[in-house]
Amino acid sequence: MERVQKPIEKLSARERINTLLDKDTFVELDKHVMHRCTDFGMEKKRIEGDGVISGYGKIDGRQVFVYAFDFAVLGGSLSAANAQKIAKVQDLALKNGAPIIGLNDSGGARIQEGVESLTGFAHIFKRNVMASGVIPQISAIMGPCAGGSCYSPALTDFILMVKEQSQMFVTGPNVVKAVTNEDVDKETLGGAMTHNSVSGVSHFICNDDEETLMTIRELIGFIPSNNMEDAPIHPVTDEVSRVCHELDEVVPTDPNVPYDIRNIIEPICDQQYFFEVQPEFAKNIVIGFGRMAGRTVGFVANQPNYLAGALDIDASDKAARFIRFCDCFNIPLVAVEDVPGFLPGVDQEHNGIIRHGAKIVYAFAEATVPKVTLITRKAYGGAYIVMNSKSIGADVNLAYPTAEIAVMGAEGACNILYRKATPEEREEKIAEYRDKFANPMPAARLGYIDEIIQPCDTRIRLIQALEMSRNKNESNPPKKHGNMPL
Protein backbone atom coordinates (compact mmCIF):
# COMPACT_ATOMS: atom_id res chain seq x y z
CA MET A 1 0.00 0.00 0.00
CA GLU A 2 1.42 3.40 -1.00
CA ARG A 3 2.05 5.71 1.89
CA VAL A 4 0.28 9.06 1.58
CA GLN A 5 2.30 11.97 2.97
CA LYS A 6 0.34 14.08 5.41
CA PRO A 7 0.00 17.67 4.15
CA ILE A 8 1.91 20.30 6.10
CA GLU A 9 -0.34 22.22 8.47
CA LYS A 10 0.71 25.85 8.45
CA LEU A 11 -0.46 28.31 11.06
CA SER A 12 -2.04 31.53 9.86
CA ALA A 13 -0.05 34.76 10.21
CA ARG A 14 -2.08 35.79 13.26
CA GLU A 15 -1.72 32.35 14.86
CA ARG A 16 2.02 32.55 14.37
CA ILE A 17 2.24 35.88 16.17
CA ASN A 18 0.02 34.70 19.03
CA THR A 19 2.13 31.54 19.43
CA LEU A 20 5.37 33.51 19.42
CA LEU A 21 4.39 36.18 21.95
CA ASP A 22 3.32 35.98 25.58
CA LYS A 23 -0.44 35.49 25.86
CA ASP A 24 -2.55 38.61 25.35
CA THR A 25 0.43 40.94 24.83
CA PHE A 26 0.18 41.57 21.09
CA VAL A 27 -0.78 45.10 20.10
CA GLU A 28 -1.54 45.40 16.39
CA LEU A 29 -0.65 48.47 14.36
CA ASP A 30 -2.04 49.61 11.00
CA LYS A 31 -4.78 46.98 10.91
CA HIS A 32 -6.90 49.14 8.60
CA VAL A 33 -4.20 50.02 6.07
CA MET A 34 -4.97 48.95 2.49
CA HIS A 35 -2.96 49.00 -0.72
CA ARG A 36 -3.45 51.90 -3.11
CA CYS A 37 -2.99 50.13 -6.44
CA THR A 38 -5.73 50.50 -9.09
CA ASP A 39 -4.05 48.70 -12.00
CA PHE A 40 -4.89 45.18 -13.23
CA GLY A 41 -8.17 45.10 -11.31
CA MET A 42 -6.45 45.57 -7.96
CA GLU A 43 -9.06 48.12 -6.85
CA LYS A 44 -11.41 45.13 -6.40
CA LYS A 45 -8.92 43.22 -4.19
CA ARG A 46 -8.58 45.47 -1.17
CA ILE A 47 -8.43 43.87 2.27
CA GLU A 48 -7.90 45.74 5.53
CA GLY A 49 -4.36 45.18 6.74
CA ASP A 50 -3.34 44.05 3.24
CA GLY A 51 -0.78 41.20 3.37
CA VAL A 52 1.11 41.96 6.59
CA ILE A 53 0.20 41.87 10.28
CA SER A 54 2.47 44.07 12.40
CA GLY A 55 2.80 45.37 15.94
CA TYR A 56 4.51 44.72 19.23
CA GLY A 57 4.26 42.44 22.24
CA LYS A 58 6.38 40.58 24.77
CA ILE A 59 8.48 37.42 25.02
CA ASP A 60 9.07 36.32 28.61
CA GLY A 61 8.01 39.81 29.65
CA ARG A 62 10.50 41.59 27.37
CA GLN A 63 9.44 44.01 24.64
CA VAL A 64 9.74 42.86 21.02
CA PHE A 65 8.40 44.09 17.69
CA VAL A 66 7.04 41.71 15.09
CA TYR A 67 5.60 41.54 11.61
CA ALA A 68 4.20 38.55 9.75
CA PHE A 69 3.45 38.20 6.06
CA ASP A 70 -0.06 36.82 5.50
CA PHE A 71 0.21 34.22 2.72
CA ALA A 72 -3.61 34.13 2.49
CA VAL A 73 -3.68 37.69 1.09
CA LEU A 74 -2.34 37.82 -2.48
CA GLY A 75 0.33 35.24 -1.62
CA GLY A 76 1.89 37.48 1.00
CA SER A 77 3.30 39.67 -1.75
CA LEU A 78 4.88 42.95 -0.70
CA SER A 79 2.94 46.08 -1.58
CA ALA A 80 3.99 49.66 -0.89
CA ALA A 81 1.45 49.69 1.95
CA ASN A 82 2.91 46.49 3.44
CA ALA A 83 6.40 47.94 3.23
CA GLN A 84 5.19 51.07 5.01
CA LYS A 85 3.81 48.92 7.85
CA ILE A 86 7.05 46.97 8.19
CA ALA A 87 9.18 50.12 8.09
CA LYS A 88 7.05 51.60 10.87
CA VAL A 89 7.73 48.73 13.29
CA GLN A 90 11.40 48.70 12.27
CA ASP A 91 11.65 52.37 13.21
CA LEU A 92 9.82 51.80 16.49
CA ALA A 93 12.07 48.86 17.36
CA LEU A 94 15.20 50.93 16.72
CA LYS A 95 13.93 53.94 18.69
CA ASN A 96 12.87 51.78 21.62
CA GLY A 97 15.87 49.44 21.66
CA ALA A 98 13.97 46.19 21.24
CA PRO A 99 14.46 43.12 19.03
CA ILE A 100 12.49 42.85 15.79
CA ILE A 101 11.22 39.54 14.46
CA GLY A 102 10.01 38.99 10.91
CA LEU A 103 7.83 35.98 10.05
CA ASN A 104 8.32 35.66 6.31
CA ASP A 105 5.98 33.84 3.93
CA SER A 106 6.02 35.93 0.78
CA GLY A 107 6.07 35.52 -2.97
CA GLY A 108 8.16 38.67 -3.27
CA ALA A 109 7.31 42.08 -4.70
CA ARG A 110 3.70 42.59 -5.80
CA ILE A 111 3.96 42.54 -9.59
CA GLN A 112 0.89 44.75 -10.11
CA GLU A 113 2.60 47.63 -8.29
CA GLY A 114 5.87 47.60 -10.22
CA VAL A 115 8.51 49.97 -8.94
CA GLU A 116 6.46 50.97 -5.89
CA SER A 117 6.74 47.49 -4.37
CA LEU A 118 10.44 47.32 -5.25
CA THR A 119 10.99 50.66 -3.54
CA GLY A 120 9.21 49.23 -0.51
CA PHE A 121 11.85 46.51 -0.27
CA ALA A 122 14.57 49.15 -0.50
CA HIS A 123 13.11 51.00 2.51
CA ILE A 124 13.11 47.74 4.51
CA PHE A 125 16.68 46.84 3.51
CA LYS A 126 17.96 50.28 4.50
CA ARG A 127 16.44 49.90 7.96
CA ASN A 128 17.86 46.39 8.31
CA VAL A 129 21.32 47.82 7.77
CA MET A 130 20.81 50.78 10.12
CA ALA A 131 19.56 48.45 12.87
CA SER A 132 22.44 45.99 12.43
CA GLY A 133 24.49 45.81 15.60
CA VAL A 134 22.03 48.04 17.45
CA ILE A 135 19.07 45.70 18.01
CA PRO A 136 18.82 41.95 17.36
CA GLN A 137 17.01 41.10 14.13
CA ILE A 138 15.55 37.63 13.67
CA SER A 139 13.87 36.20 10.57
CA ALA A 140 11.76 33.06 10.31
CA ILE A 141 11.12 31.69 6.83
CA MET A 142 7.69 30.08 7.21
CA GLY A 143 6.97 29.39 3.54
CA PRO A 144 8.29 30.17 0.07
CA CYS A 145 10.29 33.41 -0.11
CA ALA A 146 11.46 34.48 -3.52
CA GLY A 147 13.33 37.40 -5.03
CA GLY A 148 13.56 40.52 -2.89
CA SER A 149 11.88 38.85 0.10
CA CYS A 150 15.10 36.84 0.64
CA TYR A 151 17.35 39.83 1.13
CA SER A 152 15.80 41.36 4.22
CA PRO A 153 16.24 38.05 6.11
CA ALA A 154 19.79 37.80 4.76
CA LEU A 155 20.58 41.17 6.37
CA THR A 156 19.34 40.06 9.79
CA ASP A 157 21.25 38.26 12.54
CA PHE A 158 19.54 34.87 12.59
CA ILE A 159 17.40 32.97 10.10
CA LEU A 160 15.16 30.00 10.92
CA MET A 161 13.57 27.72 8.32
CA VAL A 162 10.88 25.03 8.44
CA LYS A 163 11.68 21.61 7.04
CA GLU A 164 9.85 20.78 3.77
CA GLN A 165 7.76 23.95 4.10
CA SER A 166 9.99 26.96 3.54
CA GLN A 167 12.24 27.86 0.65
CA MET A 168 14.46 30.83 -0.19
CA PHE A 169 15.76 31.62 -3.64
CA VAL A 170 16.46 34.72 -5.65
CA THR A 171 15.32 33.00 -8.85
CA GLY A 172 12.99 29.99 -8.82
CA PRO A 173 13.37 26.64 -10.60
CA ASN A 174 11.59 27.85 -13.77
CA VAL A 175 13.99 30.77 -14.23
CA VAL A 176 16.98 28.53 -13.50
CA LYS A 177 15.75 26.10 -16.15
CA ALA A 178 15.26 28.88 -18.69
CA VAL A 179 18.65 30.51 -18.12
CA THR A 180 21.02 27.62 -17.31
CA ASN A 181 18.98 24.62 -18.51
CA GLU A 182 19.34 23.02 -15.07
CA ASP A 183 16.44 20.96 -13.76
CA VAL A 184 16.00 21.48 -10.03
CA ASP A 185 13.04 21.38 -7.66
CA LYS A 186 12.25 24.08 -5.08
CA GLU A 187 13.44 22.04 -2.11
CA THR A 188 16.82 21.20 -3.64
CA LEU A 189 17.34 24.74 -4.90
CA GLY A 190 16.44 26.61 -1.74
CA GLY A 191 14.86 24.37 0.86
CA ALA A 192 15.54 24.35 4.59
CA MET A 193 18.12 21.57 4.48
CA THR A 194 19.95 23.19 1.55
CA HIS A 195 20.32 26.52 3.33
CA ASN A 196 21.17 24.93 6.69
CA SER A 197 23.77 22.45 5.46
CA VAL A 198 25.09 23.66 2.08
CA SER A 199 24.81 27.43 1.69
CA GLY A 200 24.90 28.44 5.36
CA VAL A 201 22.23 31.08 4.75
CA SER A 202 20.04 29.71 7.56
CA HIS A 203 20.97 29.13 11.21
CA PHE A 204 18.23 26.79 12.44
CA ILE A 205 16.07 24.10 10.85
CA CYS A 206 12.78 23.25 12.57
CA ASN A 207 10.12 20.62 11.99
CA ASP A 208 7.04 22.86 11.98
CA ASP A 209 5.73 26.35 12.67
CA GLU A 210 5.38 25.84 16.41
CA GLU A 211 8.92 24.53 16.89
CA THR A 212 10.25 27.47 14.87
CA LEU A 213 8.44 30.00 17.04
CA MET A 214 9.54 28.28 20.27
CA THR A 215 13.15 28.34 19.04
CA ILE A 216 12.86 32.10 18.51
CA ARG A 217 11.61 32.50 22.07
CA GLU A 218 14.57 30.49 23.36
CA LEU A 219 17.04 32.47 21.25
CA ILE A 220 15.63 35.77 22.56
CA GLY A 221 16.31 34.51 26.10
CA PHE A 222 20.05 34.33 25.42
CA ILE A 223 20.53 37.79 23.93
CA PRO A 224 20.09 41.40 25.10
CA SER A 225 17.41 43.71 23.79
CA ASN A 226 19.93 46.14 22.30
CA ASN A 227 23.62 46.96 22.11
CA MET A 228 23.54 49.12 25.25
CA GLU A 229 22.34 46.31 27.50
CA ASP A 230 23.62 42.95 28.70
CA ALA A 231 21.84 39.67 28.10
CA PRO A 232 19.30 38.67 30.79
CA ILE A 233 20.81 37.07 33.87
CA HIS A 234 19.19 33.78 34.82
CA PRO A 235 18.94 32.49 38.39
CA VAL A 236 21.93 30.27 39.16
CA THR A 237 20.74 26.85 40.25
CA ASP A 238 23.87 25.03 39.09
CA GLU A 239 26.88 25.07 41.42
CA VAL A 240 29.45 27.53 40.06
CA SER A 241 32.40 25.52 41.38
CA ARG A 242 31.01 22.21 40.10
CA VAL A 243 33.87 19.83 39.28
CA CYS A 244 33.40 18.13 35.88
CA HIS A 245 35.22 14.83 36.36
CA GLU A 246 33.91 13.52 33.04
CA LEU A 247 36.14 16.03 31.23
CA ASP A 248 39.25 14.16 32.40
CA GLU A 249 38.36 11.40 29.94
CA VAL A 250 37.26 13.39 26.88
CA VAL A 251 40.53 14.29 25.14
CA PRO A 252 42.25 11.14 23.81
CA THR A 253 45.93 10.60 24.60
CA ASP A 254 46.54 9.83 20.92
CA PRO A 255 46.59 13.23 19.14
CA ASN A 256 45.18 11.65 15.98
CA VAL A 257 42.03 10.23 17.60
CA PRO A 258 38.94 12.45 17.13
CA TYR A 259 36.43 13.40 19.82
CA ASP A 260 33.31 15.56 20.05
CA ILE A 261 34.14 19.06 21.30
CA ARG A 262 30.55 19.39 22.54
CA ASN A 263 31.50 16.87 25.23
CA ILE A 264 33.66 19.63 26.67
CA ILE A 265 31.25 22.54 26.14
CA GLU A 266 28.05 20.98 27.46
CA PRO A 267 29.30 19.84 30.90
CA ILE A 268 30.70 23.29 31.75
CA CYS A 269 27.49 25.20 30.92
CA ASP A 270 24.79 25.87 33.51
CA GLN A 271 22.46 22.86 33.62
CA GLN A 272 24.85 21.31 31.06
CA TYR A 273 22.80 22.96 28.30
CA PHE A 274 24.36 24.32 25.12
CA PHE A 275 22.19 26.09 22.50
CA GLU A 276 24.01 25.36 19.25
CA VAL A 277 23.73 27.68 16.24
CA GLN A 278 24.11 26.43 12.64
CA PRO A 279 24.71 22.81 13.68
CA GLU A 280 24.32 21.45 10.13
CA PHE A 281 26.72 23.86 8.37
CA ALA A 282 30.55 23.78 8.48
CA LYS A 283 30.57 21.07 11.12
CA ASN A 284 34.31 21.49 11.68
CA ILE A 285 33.50 24.45 13.89
CA VAL A 286 30.85 24.64 16.62
CA ILE A 287 29.18 27.89 17.66
CA GLY A 288 26.37 28.68 20.05
CA PHE A 289 25.24 30.05 23.39
CA GLY A 290 25.46 28.71 26.89
CA ARG A 291 25.20 30.20 30.35
CA MET A 292 27.92 30.26 32.97
CA ALA A 293 26.95 31.44 36.45
CA GLY A 294 23.66 32.65 34.95
CA ARG A 295 25.22 34.84 32.24
CA THR A 296 25.17 34.27 28.49
CA VAL A 297 28.44 33.21 26.86
CA GLY A 298 29.16 32.72 23.16
CA PHE A 299 31.21 29.61 22.36
CA VAL A 300 33.41 29.18 19.26
CA ALA A 301 35.02 25.74 19.16
CA ASN A 302 36.95 23.61 16.70
CA GLN A 303 35.35 20.20 16.14
CA PRO A 304 37.96 17.37 15.93
CA ASN A 305 35.15 14.99 14.91
CA TYR A 306 34.87 16.64 11.47
CA LEU A 307 37.81 17.36 9.13
CA ALA A 308 39.97 16.99 12.26
CA GLY A 309 38.77 20.45 13.28
CA ALA A 310 40.71 22.17 10.49
CA LEU A 311 39.48 25.62 9.47
CA ASP A 312 38.12 25.98 5.95
CA ILE A 313 36.22 28.65 4.03
CA ASP A 314 32.77 27.81 5.43
CA ALA A 315 34.00 27.42 9.02
CA SER A 316 35.77 30.78 8.80
CA ASP A 317 32.62 32.55 7.61
CA LYS A 318 30.46 30.81 10.22
CA ALA A 319 32.76 31.65 13.13
CA ALA A 320 33.50 35.25 12.12
CA ARG A 321 29.83 36.15 11.75
CA PHE A 322 29.00 34.70 15.18
CA ILE A 323 31.97 36.38 16.87
CA ARG A 324 30.89 39.76 15.50
CA PHE A 325 27.29 39.23 16.68
CA CYS A 326 28.51 38.49 20.21
CA ASP A 327 30.76 41.55 20.16
CA CYS A 328 27.91 43.76 18.92
CA PHE A 329 25.70 42.69 21.79
CA ASN A 330 28.11 42.52 24.73
CA ILE A 331 28.23 38.72 24.95
CA PRO A 332 31.57 37.37 26.26
CA LEU A 333 33.38 34.89 24.02
CA VAL A 334 34.98 31.57 24.91
CA ALA A 335 37.12 29.89 22.25
CA VAL A 336 37.66 26.15 22.72
CA GLU A 337 40.62 25.27 20.56
CA ASP A 338 41.80 22.03 19.01
CA VAL A 339 42.93 22.96 15.51
CA PRO A 340 45.59 21.34 13.32
CA GLY A 341 45.61 24.24 10.84
CA PHE A 342 43.76 25.48 7.81
CA LEU A 343 42.36 22.85 5.47
CA PRO A 344 44.76 22.26 2.56
CA GLY A 345 43.57 21.91 -1.03
CA VAL A 346 43.46 23.53 -4.44
CA ASP A 347 39.72 24.28 -4.11
CA GLN A 348 40.26 25.98 -0.76
CA GLU A 349 43.10 28.14 -2.07
CA HIS A 350 41.36 29.05 -5.32
CA ASN A 351 38.11 29.90 -3.54
CA GLY A 352 39.87 32.27 -1.17
CA ILE A 353 40.75 30.53 2.10
CA ILE A 354 43.23 33.35 2.70
CA ARG A 355 40.50 35.97 2.42
CA HIS A 356 37.92 33.94 4.35
CA GLY A 357 40.35 32.78 7.03
CA ALA A 358 41.32 36.40 7.64
CA LYS A 359 37.73 37.03 8.76
CA ILE A 360 38.22 35.11 12.00
CA VAL A 361 41.37 36.94 13.02
CA TYR A 362 39.67 40.22 12.10
CA ALA A 363 36.58 39.36 14.17
CA PHE A 364 38.50 38.22 17.26
CA ALA A 365 40.99 41.10 17.09
CA GLU A 366 38.19 43.65 16.65
CA ALA A 367 36.02 42.28 19.49
CA THR A 368 36.23 44.23 22.74
CA VAL A 369 34.04 41.95 24.88
CA PRO A 370 35.72 39.64 27.42
CA LYS A 371 37.56 36.92 25.47
CA VAL A 372 38.82 33.67 26.98
CA THR A 373 40.57 30.81 25.17
CA LEU A 374 40.88 27.19 26.26
CA ILE A 375 43.34 25.01 24.32
CA THR A 376 42.45 21.35 24.75
CA ARG A 377 44.91 19.74 22.35
CA LYS A 378 46.30 20.99 19.02
CA ALA A 379 47.01 24.66 18.39
CA TYR A 380 49.08 24.74 15.24
CA GLY A 381 50.36 27.50 13.02
CA GLY A 382 48.23 30.34 11.71
CA ALA A 383 45.09 28.59 12.95
CA TYR A 384 46.43 28.90 16.53
CA ILE A 385 46.84 32.63 16.00
CA VAL A 386 43.37 33.27 14.61
CA MET A 387 41.57 31.21 17.28
CA ASN A 388 41.78 34.02 19.83
CA SER A 389 45.44 33.74 20.78
CA LYS A 390 46.89 35.98 23.49
CA SER A 391 48.68 38.10 20.90
CA ILE A 392 45.50 39.17 19.09
CA GLY A 393 43.77 40.24 22.27
CA ALA A 394 42.51 37.35 24.36
CA ASP A 395 42.16 38.33 28.00
CA VAL A 396 42.80 34.91 29.54
CA ASN A 397 44.32 31.87 27.83
CA LEU A 398 44.04 28.48 29.51
CA ALA A 399 45.36 25.11 28.41
CA TYR A 400 44.99 21.47 29.32
CA PRO A 401 48.18 19.45 29.96
CA THR A 402 47.43 17.76 26.61
CA ALA A 403 47.78 21.05 24.69
CA GLU A 404 50.30 21.24 21.85
CA ILE A 405 51.20 24.76 20.70
CA ALA A 406 53.54 24.74 17.73
CA VAL A 407 53.98 25.81 14.13
CA MET A 408 52.86 22.34 13.03
CA GLY A 409 52.73 18.72 14.17
CA ALA A 410 55.92 16.83 14.96
CA GLU A 411 55.83 14.64 11.83
CA GLY A 412 55.26 17.55 9.46
CA ALA A 413 57.93 19.67 11.12
CA CYS A 414 60.58 16.96 11.01
CA ASN A 415 59.76 16.05 7.43
CA ILE A 416 60.72 19.63 6.57
CA LEU A 417 63.63 20.11 8.96
CA TYR A 418 65.19 16.69 8.42
CA ARG A 419 64.07 15.70 4.96
CA LYS A 420 67.43 14.06 4.20
CA ALA A 421 67.61 12.10 7.43
CA THR A 422 67.24 8.33 7.57
CA PRO A 423 63.89 6.94 8.82
CA GLU A 424 65.54 6.07 12.14
CA GLU A 425 67.00 9.56 12.54
CA ARG A 426 63.70 11.13 11.60
CA GLU A 427 61.82 9.09 14.24
CA GLU A 428 64.33 10.24 16.82
CA LYS A 429 63.84 13.88 15.83
CA ILE A 430 60.05 13.48 15.88
CA ALA A 431 60.24 12.24 19.46
CA GLU A 432 62.54 15.15 20.34
CA TYR A 433 60.15 17.67 18.73
CA ARG A 434 57.20 16.18 20.63
CA ASP A 435 59.05 16.44 23.92
CA LYS A 436 59.83 20.07 23.21
CA PHE A 437 56.53 21.33 21.73
CA ALA A 438 53.77 18.75 22.30
CA ASN A 439 52.94 20.30 25.65
CA PRO A 440 51.84 23.75 26.86
CA MET A 441 54.94 24.55 28.90
CA PRO A 442 56.96 26.52 26.29
CA ALA A 443 53.99 28.86 25.69
CA ALA A 444 53.29 29.10 29.42
CA ARG A 445 56.90 30.08 30.14
CA LEU A 446 56.58 32.91 27.63
CA GLY A 447 53.28 34.12 29.11
CA TYR A 448 51.17 33.16 26.09
CA ILE A 449 49.29 30.70 28.31
CA ASP A 450 48.11 32.12 31.62
CA GLU A 451 47.40 28.85 33.38
CA ILE A 452 47.61 25.13 32.71
CA ILE A 453 44.50 23.59 34.25
CA GLN A 454 43.11 20.14 34.85
CA PRO A 455 40.09 19.38 32.62
CA CYS A 456 37.83 18.72 35.62
CA ASP A 457 38.37 22.34 36.77
CA THR A 458 37.34 23.88 33.44
CA ARG A 459 33.97 25.25 34.57
CA ILE A 460 35.21 27.15 37.61
CA ARG A 461 38.35 28.44 35.84
CA LEU A 462 36.35 29.82 32.91
CA ILE A 463 33.77 31.40 35.22
CA GLN A 464 36.56 33.04 37.23
CA ALA A 465 38.15 34.40 34.05
CA LEU A 466 34.83 35.75 32.80
CA GLU A 467 34.03 37.35 36.17
CA MET A 468 37.47 38.96 36.29
CA SER A 469 37.02 40.55 32.86
CA ARG A 470 33.35 41.50 33.24
CA ASN A 471 34.11 45.19 33.74
CA LYS A 472 36.66 45.26 30.92
CA ASN A 473 36.82 48.68 29.29
CA GLU A 474 38.43 48.60 25.87
CA SER A 475 37.72 50.51 22.68
CA ASN A 476 39.14 50.45 19.17
CA PRO A 477 40.61 53.52 17.41
CA PRO A 478 37.96 56.00 16.18
CA LYS A 479 36.90 55.21 12.63
CA LYS A 480 33.89 55.28 10.36
CA HIS A 481 34.15 51.48 10.09
CA GLY A 482 36.85 48.94 9.35
CA ASN A 483 37.31 47.26 5.98
CA MET A 484 36.79 43.60 6.84
CA PRO A 485 38.00 41.09 4.21
CA LEU A 486 34.63 40.02 2.86
Side-chain angles (χ1 to χ4, degrees), residues 10-22 24 26-33 47-56 66-73 85 103 105 142 209 213:
K10 294 169 65 170
L11 299 176
S12 69
R14 197 169 297 278
E15 287 172 334
R16 287 168 175 169
I17 289 175
N18 289 334
T19 301
L20 173 68
L21 301 179
D22 295 348
D24 298 329
F26 179 56
V27 178
E28 187 173 356
L29 302 174
D30 292 332
K31 67 174 66 177
H32 301 299
V33 167
I47 298 173
E48 285 198 346
D50 206 7
V52 165
I53 300 172
S54 61
Y56 57 92
V66 63
Y67 61 90
F69 283 89
D70 189 347
F71 60 86
V73 178
K85 292 176 65 171
L103 308 180
D105 194 345
M142 316 290 284
D209 282 10
L213 300 166

Side-chain angles (χ1 to χ4, degrees), residues 317 320 352 354-363 482-486:
D317 289 351
I354 296 171
R355 172 167 49 88
H356 290 271
K359 295 178 185 181
I360 303 185
V361 67
Y362 191 104
N483 188 17
M484 187 181 188
L486 296 173

Side-chain angles (χ1 to χ4, degrees), residues 246-257 259 261 264 304 336-340 374-380 384 398-406 408-410 433-444 449 451-456 458:
E246 63 269 39
L247 296 186
D248 291 330
E249 309 296 327
V250 173
V251 181
T253 53
D254 185 340
N256 297 317
V257 173
Y259 64 97
I261 201 70
I264 288 178
V336 186
E337 183 174 353
D338 186 347
V339 62
L374 169 68
I375 301 174
T376 62
R377 193 167 61 176
K378 297 175 185 175
Y380 291 167
Y384 152 70
L398 308 174
Y400 287 171
T402 49
E404 306 173 23
I405 304 161
M408 61 180 66
Y433 191 94
R434 281 205 184 102
D435 287 340
K436 187 171 181 62
F437 292 112
N439 65 81
M441 285 306 298
I449 296 297
E451 187 180 6
I452 300 170
I453 66 170
Q454 292 303 315
C456 61
T458 303

Side-chain angles (χ1 to χ4, degrees), residues 171-247:
T171 54
N174 293 337
V175 177
V176 171
K177 172 67 174 174
V179 175
T180 69
N181 204 33
E182 294 172 285
D183 280 309
V184 64
D185 59 68
K186 290 193 297 184
E187 195 63 28
T188 304
L189 181 63
M193 187 50 72
T194 294
H195 284 310
N196 274 272
S197 62
V198 180
S199 72
V201 167
S202 179
H203 299 80
F204 301 95
I205 183 169
C206 304
N207 291 310
D208 53 32
D209 282 10
E210 187 171 0
E211 183 183 331
T212 304
L213 300 166
M214 291 302 104
T215 302
I216 294 173
R217 288 181 62 92
E218 184 172 9
L219 174 59
I220 287 288
F222 279 101
I223 60 180
S225 293
N226 57 66
N227 65 339
M228 302 302 289
E229 297 181 10
D230 292 327
I233 300 174
H234 278 235
V236 182
T237 57
D238 191 356
E239 187 181 351
V240 170
S241 58
R242 172 167 52 83
V243 179
C244 307
H245 291 291
E246 63 269 39
L247 296 186

